[in-house]
Amino acid sequence: MREDFFTLRTVMWDKGKVRMIDQTVLPQRLVYKDYDTWEGVADAIRRMVVRGAPAIGVAAAMGVAVAAQSSKADDKEGLLKDISRAAAGLRATRPTAVNLFWGIDRVVAAARSARGGVDKMVRTVISTAVEMAEEDVETNRRLGKVGEPLIEDGDVVMTQCNAGALATVGYGTALGVIRAAAEAGKCVKVIVNETRPALQGARLTAFELVRDGFHCTLISDTAVGYMMSSGRVDKVIVGADRITKDGHVFNKIGTYQVAVLANRHGVPFYAAAPYSTFDMRRTHDKVVIEERAAEEVFQVRGKRITPKGIAIANPAFDDTPPELISAIVSDKGLIGRPVEDNISSVIR
Ligand code: MRU
């Protein structure tokens, strides 16, 4: 059994600052950036210095913590005002991943219920955010154990985007299941979809998996159908940014077409997500899909590849309906088909 899987932490609290791996420069450079204002953290989330649903949830909670720490308020009411302002700014960064809102709500609730004075309230906000980072890794390890039996020795597993250690605080969700299968002694090969336009597959998933010594093969997004029709994919496993109560999985753009193709070719399609990704208050029609800057599409790594004047659409996420999903892996247990009916008995 391997015990040395990707031990880097994506987001951490370090001497009063939020320290995060700068994912915009991976895989060429592995550098950390420190933030001591909530505005800085919000900008990092928007620009995808930190990205991935669980990672942005923890980063945003820590963003509220730096706001609390640097507040000049001398009473609880004033401090709560500063916290609420930071929370509103952080909420406005990215609309789709529900973990962002979950993370912010949790630290704001901790602040509201803190007993004692201003100092106690600040300490409570910081310790709640730090606890969330620790919990994230434990949750992913539990989720990995739940999903590991789905993977057989010798499987070739396809994944979209990056749902790994870099998308969480550590270990990962979809890649957590793959890591858990390898820890259980199974040989797993991974097909990594490049995931245009931000290339999370080519840059980040490839970085993690190569570093961990997995056999992995990068393909262009356009090769997904052929890889399946030629029998080269045994399973698909992806992460999620939001799973609604009616069993729809919102994940990185391209996930839906991978699911349709998997269904066409009889390849099991799994999504893996912690409880913080489930939105048991909304149905799929209420979810906002983030539309990102046109530059991400008309440029490749800063260089224009299209003629000027072309219209661009850049939706960052899509919606995979429950009929295309074989099962959802959560830290609370496996949600089998029909996922839309079984979800509420597992996520409570
Ligand atoms: O735009 P991103 O890179 O933040 O999108 C990330 C994804 O879509 C991941 O698949 C998802 O957050 C799951 S992360 C465990």
Side-chain angles (χ1 to χ4, degrees):
M1 173 164 140
R2 302 164 60 155
E3 305 228 333
D4 57 341
F5 281 138
F6 207 87
T7 46
L8 300 175
R9 287 282 183 269
T10 305
V11 186
M12 69 200 90
W13 184 260
D14 186 52
K15 298 187 200 85
K17 294 185 175 151
V18 189
R19 169 163 284 201
M20 302 191 275
I21 293 179
D22 181 355
Q23 300 193 36
T24 63
V25 296
L26 280 173
Q28 284 80 9
R29 288 190 295 140
L30 175 60
V31 289
Y32 285 88
K33 281 200 168 153
D34 291 337
Y35 297 88
D36 58 4
T37 64
W38 74 261
E39 291 93 339
V41 174
D43 184 59
I45 294 172
R46 220 176 280 114
R47 292 193 307 107
M48 291 166 65
V49 167
V50 62
R51 35 65 51 199
I56 65 175
V58 172
M62 289 189 179
V64 175
V66 285
Q69 175 185 255
S70 55
S71 167
K72 305 262 179 295
D74 49 17
D75 60 13
K76 285 172 84 173
E77 208 172 85
L79 178 55
L80 269 177
K81 232 186 209 165
D82 287 343
I83 286 175
S84 302
R85 191 175 318 116
L90 287 155
R91 274 195 181 95
T93 51
R94 298 190 74 186
T96 309
V98 74
N99 310 59
L100 178 84
F101 307 96
W102 170 86
I104 295 168
D105 288 349
R106 188 158 154 193
V107 280
V108 171
R112 289 218 169 92
S113 60
R115 288 165 194 273
V118 167
D119 286 355
K120 180 72 198 316
M121 198 190 267
V122 172
R123 283 202 306 276
T124 303
V125 172
I126 295 172
S127 63
T128 305
V130 171
E131 238 169 67
M132 287 167 65
E134 288 311 309
E135 268 174 28
D136 179 78
V137 182
E138 287 158 27
T139 301
N140 296 335
R141 286 196 173 270
R142 260 199 316 278
L143 182 158
K145 288 211 169 78
V146 171
E148 170 272 302
L150 298 170
I151 312 285
E152 284 163 71
D153 188 29
D155 268 351
V156 178
V157 181
M158 176 179 279
T159 192
Q160 177 79 5
C161 192
N162 171 264
L166 290 165
T168 60
V169 176
Y171 202 70
T173 57
L175 297 193
V177 172
I178 290 171
R179 288 192 167 101
E183 282 170 351
K186 298 172 194 172
C187 170
V188 192
K189 293 183 179 168
V190 187
I191 294 180
V192 179
N193 300 345
E194 63 174 351
T195 317
R196 276 275 288 151
L199 299 171
Q200 290 93 334
R203 297 188 304 109
L204 308 177
T205 297
F207 173 77
E208 284 191 28
L209 293 180
V210 168
R211 201 178 155 105
D212 274 357
F214 278 94
H215 182 295
C216 51
T217 304
L218 178 68
I219 62 165
S220 65
D221 297 326
T222 42
V224 170
Y226 176 68
M227 295 302 279
M228 290 193 189
S229 69
S230 57
R232 293 201 243 171
V233 184
D234 297 309
K235 272 145 208 170
V236 176
I237 184 155
V238 299
D241 291 85
R242 189 185 295 241
I243 300 175
T244 49
K245 65 179 180 185
D246 49 351
H248 286 242
V249 169
F250 290 80
N251 191 47
K252 180 50 53 196
I253 193 74
T255 301
Y256 170 64
Q257 64 205 32
V258 174
V260 170
L261 285 161
N263 182 262
R264 167 82 171 86
H265 296 289
V267 174
F269 179 95
Y270 302 113
Y275 67 96
S276 51
T277 301
F278 289 81
D279 182 352
M280 298 305 280
R281 287 189 300 198
R282 281 179 194 78
T283 49
H284 70 282
D285 49 312
K286 302 285 186 300
V287 177
V288 176
I289 300 279
E290 179 182 8
E291 182 75 27
R292 290 188 63 85
E295 284 82 356
E296 289 184 355
V297 176
F298 71 65
Q299 291 180 351
V300 173
R301 308 310 280 157
K303 206 163 175 258
R304 186 165 196 127
I305 55 163
T306 70
K308 289 188 178 147
I310 182 81
I312 305 283
N314 187 15
F317 299 96
D318 60 25
D319 170 1
T320 299
E323 61 271 22
L324 297 177
I325 299 166
S326 309
I328 299 175
V329 181
S330 84
D331 53 304
K332 306 273 184 206
L334 192 69
I335 305 164
R337 296 185 89 146
V339 293
E340 63 276 36
D341 295 340
N342 293 333
I343 200 164
S344 58
S345 57
V346 177
I347 307 296
R348 280 187 276 215

mmCIF file of all heavy atoms in Angstrom, residues 294-295 297-299 302-312:
data_model
loop_
_atom_site.group_PDB
_atom_site.id
_atom_site.type_symbol
_atom_site.label_atom_id
_atom_site.label_comp_id
_atom_site.label_asym_id
_atom_site.label_seq_id
_atom_site.Cartn_x
_atom_site.Cartn_y
_atom_site.Cartn_z
ATOM 1 N N ALA A 294 -14.265 35.844 -22.375
ATOM 2 C CA ALA A 294 -14.073 35.328 -23.737
ATOM 3 C C ALA A 294 -12.613 34.977 -24.024
ATOM 4 O O ALA A 294 -12.312 34.027 -24.745
ATOM 5 C CB ALA A 294 -14.557 36.367 -24.742
ATOM 6 N N GLU A 295 -11.697 35.721 -23.393
ATOM 7 C CA GLU A 295 -10.250 35.486 -23.621
ATOM 8 C C GLU A 295 -9.864 34.031 -23.374
ATOM 9 O O GLU A 295 -8.969 33.499 -24.024
ATOM 10 C CB GLU A 295 -9.377 36.346 -22.667
ATOM 11 C CG GLU A 295 -9.282 37.800 -23.027
ATOM 12 C CD GLU A 295 -10.475 38.602 -22.527
ATOM 13 O OE1 GLU A 295 -11.423 38.023 -21.951
ATOM 14 O OE2 GLU A 295 -10.476 39.798 -22.735
ATOM 15 N N VAL A 297 -11.276 31.490 -24.200
ATOM 16 C CA VAL A 297 -11.550 30.663 -25.379
ATOM 17 C C VAL A 297 -10.738 31.126 -26.591
ATOM 18 O O VAL A 297 -10.172 30.308 -27.307
ATOM 19 C CB VAL A 297 -13.061 30.656 -25.701
ATOM 20 C CG1 VAL A 297 -13.339 29.880 -26.990
ATOM 21 C CG2 VAL A 297 -13.847 30.043 -24.544
ATOM 22 N N PHE A 298 -10.659 32.463 -26.788
ATOM 23 C CA PHE A 298 -9.983 32.883 -28.015
ATOM 24 C C PHE A 298 -8.462 32.962 -27.876
ATOM 25 O O PHE A 298 -7.755 33.162 -28.849
ATOM 26 C CB PHE A 298 -10.602 34.146 -28.647
ATOM 27 C CG PHE A 298 -10.403 35.464 -27.939
ATOM 28 C CD1 PHE A 298 -9.139 36.020 -27.799
ATOM 29 C CD2 PHE A 298 -11.504 36.179 -27.485
ATOM 30 C CE1 PHE A 298 -8.964 37.243 -27.194
ATOM 31 C CE2 PHE A 298 -11.339 37.415 -26.867
ATOM 32 C CZ PHE A 298 -10.054 37.942 -26.724
ATOM 33 N N GLN A 299 -7.985 32.758 -26.630
ATOM 34 C CA GLN A 299 -6.522 32.712 -26.459
ATOM 35 C C GLN A 299 -6.127 31.337 -25.938
ATOM 36 O O GLN A 299 -6.882 30.700 -25.218
ATOM 37 C CB GLN A 299 -6.082 33.717 -25.394
ATOM 38 C CG GLN A 299 -6.246 35.153 -25.799
ATOM 39 C CD GLN A 299 -5.796 36.113 -24.707
ATOM 40 O OE1 GLN A 299 -5.514 35.719 -23.588
ATOM 41 N NE2 GLN A 299 -5.729 37.383 -25.049
ATOM 42 N N GLY A 302 -2.444 32.877 -23.365
ATOM 43 C CA GLY A 302 -2.109 34.266 -23.635
ATOM 44 C C GLY A 302 -1.972 34.637 -25.105
ATOM 45 O O GLY A 302 -1.758 35.800 -25.436
ATOM 46 N N LYS A 303 -2.093 33.675 -26.016
ATOM 47 C CA LYS A 303 -1.894 33.983 -27.441
ATOM 48 C C LYS A 303 -3.213 33.807 -28.201
ATOM 49 O O LYS A 303 -3.864 32.756 -28.076
ATOM 50 C CB LYS A 303 -0.857 32.994 -27.994
ATOM 51 C CG LYS A 303 -0.118 33.524 -29.156
ATOM 52 C CD LYS A 303 1.162 32.737 -29.432
ATOM 53 C CE LYS A 303 1.765 33.282 -30.685
ATOM 54 N NZ LYS A 303 1.619 32.586 -31.865
ATOM 55 N N ARG A 304 -3.598 34.840 -28.972
ATOM 56 C CA ARG A 304 -4.860 34.785 -29.700
ATOM 57 C C ARG A 304 -4.813 33.725 -30.803
ATOM 58 O O ARG A 304 -3.848 33.652 -31.554
ATOM 59 C CB ARG A 304 -5.159 36.159 -30.307
ATOM 60 C CG ARG A 304 -6.508 36.200 -30.953
ATOM 61 C CD ARG A 304 -7.012 37.599 -31.243
ATOM 62 N NE ARG A 304 -8.435 37.450 -31.481
ATOM 63 C CZ ARG A 304 -9.384 38.117 -30.867
ATOM 64 N NH1 ARG A 304 -9.098 39.023 -29.997
ATOM 65 N NH2 ARG A 304 -10.654 37.880 -31.132
ATOM 66 N N ILE A 305 -5.878 32.893 -30.877
ATOM 67 C CA ILE A 305 -5.894 31.837 -31.896
ATOM 68 C C ILE A 305 -7.046 32.002 -32.886
ATOM 69 O O ILE A 305 -7.231 31.159 -33.759
ATOM 70 C CB ILE A 305 -5.995 30.428 -31.242
ATOM 71 C CG1 ILE A 305 -7.209 30.332 -30.313
ATOM 72 C CG2 ILE A 305 -4.713 30.051 -30.519
ATOM 73 C CD1 ILE A 305 -7.613 28.924 -29.950
ATOM 74 N N THR A 306 -7.858 33.041 -32.729
ATOM 75 C CA THR A 306 -9.030 33.206 -33.595
ATOM 76 C C THR A 306 -8.950 34.556 -34.304
ATOM 77 O O THR A 306 -8.231 35.458 -33.842
ATOM 78 C CB THR A 306 -10.327 33.217 -32.765
ATOM 79 O OG1 THR A 306 -10.360 34.429 -32.006
ATOM 80 C CG2 THR A 306 -10.433 32.028 -31.838
ATOM 81 N N PRO A 307 -9.727 34.716 -35.385
ATOM 82 C CA PRO A 307 -9.803 36.055 -35.964
ATOM 83 C C PRO A 307 -10.575 36.977 -35.019
ATOM 84 O O PRO A 307 -11.419 36.508 -34.251
ATOM 85 C CB PRO A 307 -10.593 35.840 -37.260
ATOM 86 C CG PRO A 307 -11.354 34.581 -37.029
ATOM 87 C CD PRO A 307 -10.539 33.735 -36.101
ATOM 88 N N LYS A 308 -10.274 38.272 -35.069
ATOM 89 C CA LYS A 308 -11.047 39.230 -34.270
ATOM 90 C C LYS A 308 -12.461 39.277 -34.825
ATOM 91 O O LYS A 308 -12.671 39.009 -35.998
ATOM 92 C CB LYS A 308 -10.391 40.601 -34.331
ATOM 93 C CG LYS A 308 -9.100 40.602 -33.544
ATOM 94 C CD LYS A 308 -8.504 41.981 -33.418
ATOM 95 C CE LYS A 308 -7.249 41.848 -32.559
ATOM 96 N NZ LYS A 308 -6.208 42.759 -32.926
ATOM 97 N N GLY A 309 -13.443 39.568 -33.974
ATOM 98 C CA GLY A 309 -14.808 39.734 -34.460
ATOM 99 C C GLY A 309 -15.660 38.478 -34.274
ATOM 100 O O GLY A 309 -16.873 38.533 -34.436
ATOM 101 N N ILE A 310 -15.054 37.355 -33.946
ATOM 102 C CA ILE A 310 -15.839 36.140 -33.712
ATOM 103 C C ILE A 310 -16.544 36.267 -32.344
ATOM 104 O O ILE A 310 -15.945 36.745 -31.381
ATOM 105 C CB ILE A 310 -14.925 34.879 -33.758
ATOM 106 C CG1 ILE A 310 -15.714 33.583 -33.570
ATOM 107 C CG2 ILE A 310 -13.817 34.910 -32.708
ATOM 108 C CD1 ILE A 310 -16.396 33.097 -34.787
ATOM 109 N N ALA A 311 -17.813 35.865 -32.311
ATOM 110 C CA ALA A 311 -18.525 35.871 -31.024
ATOM 111 C C ALA A 311 -18.072 34.649 -30.221
ATOM 112 O O ALA A 311 -17.776 33.602 -30.799
ATOM 113 C CB ALA A 311 -20.026 35.816 -31.265
ATOM 114 N N ILE A 312 -18.029 34.801 -28.909
ATOM 115 C CA ILE A 312 -17.530 33.709 -28.050
ATOM 116 C C ILE A 312 -18.563 33.400 -26.962
ATOM 117 O O ILE A 312 -19.119 34.317 -26.357
ATOM 118 C CB ILE A 312 -16.214 34.124 -27.337
ATOM 119 C CG1 ILE A 312 -15.136 34.587 -28.322
ATOM 120 C CG2 ILE A 312 -15.706 33.016 -26.396
ATOM 121 C CD1 ILE A 312 -14.400 33.525 -29.077
#
